[in-house]
Amino acid sequence: MPLSEHEQKLLEQMERALYAEDPSFATQMKGHGRPSAPKTRLVGGIIVAVLGLAVVVLGVNAASIPLGVVGFVIMVAGVAWAATPPRVAKTDGPPRPAQRGPNPKTARKPKSGSGSFMQRMDDRWDRRRNDGR
């Protein structure tokens, strides 16, 4: 059942208000519109894994250890490819939120072994997050 004209206008008004109030949440809820990419990767990985299994079976029938090893490597590569998420290309999208905490380039690095275990883990986590930007 389609929405009436009045309901469509109300929905558009609510959508504009959401974008104005919290644009990052609205963008996150909008999604990317490409749910088929992981499916394609999964199916491709399964096909490669099955081909690798076929090469392993062929290697066993031919009593060829190198052929079996090659088949096993192909099989593992297919499973690994299917299991890992695709890399997302960096684009010039919306500006990133301001960094919280000290600037990692100007912050003093603690000497190895100094500080508590949790402090070192927090520092390592911050460095990983900031290196990904």
Side-chain angles (χ1 to χ4, degrees), residues 13-126:
Q13 184 181 14
M14 289 169 48
E15 200 172 340
R16 284 192 302 268
L18 177 63
Y19 273 107
E21 185 177 314
D22 194 354
S24 63
F25 176 72
T27 304
Q28 184 180 6
M29 289 293 107
K30 187 174 182 179
H32 300 293
R34 288 184 41 182
S36 63
K39 264 189 212 177
T40 308
R41 188 174 178 99
L42 179 66
V43 170
I46 290 172
I47 290 171
V48 170
V50 169
L51 287 174
L53 182 61
V55 173
V56 167
V57 170
L58 184 66
V60 169
N61 274 343
S64 173
I65 292 176
L67 188 60
V69 170
V70 168
F72 181 76
V73 169
I74 292 171
M75 189 172 54
V76 170
V79 170
W81 188 57
T84 57
R87 291 184 181 177
V88 178
K90 291 184 180 181
T91 59
D92 293 335
R96 293 193 173 117
Q99 179 182 348
R100 295 181 183 173
N103 184 351
K105 293 180 181 177
T106 59
R108 286 188 298 153
K109 306 271 182 188
K111 295 178 184 175
S112 61
S114 67
S116 69
F117 173 77
M118 290 305 295
Q119 181 62 42
R120 290 192 312 260
M121 292 297 112
D122 285 340
D123 292 341
R124 182 184 282 177
W125 175 260
D126 290 340

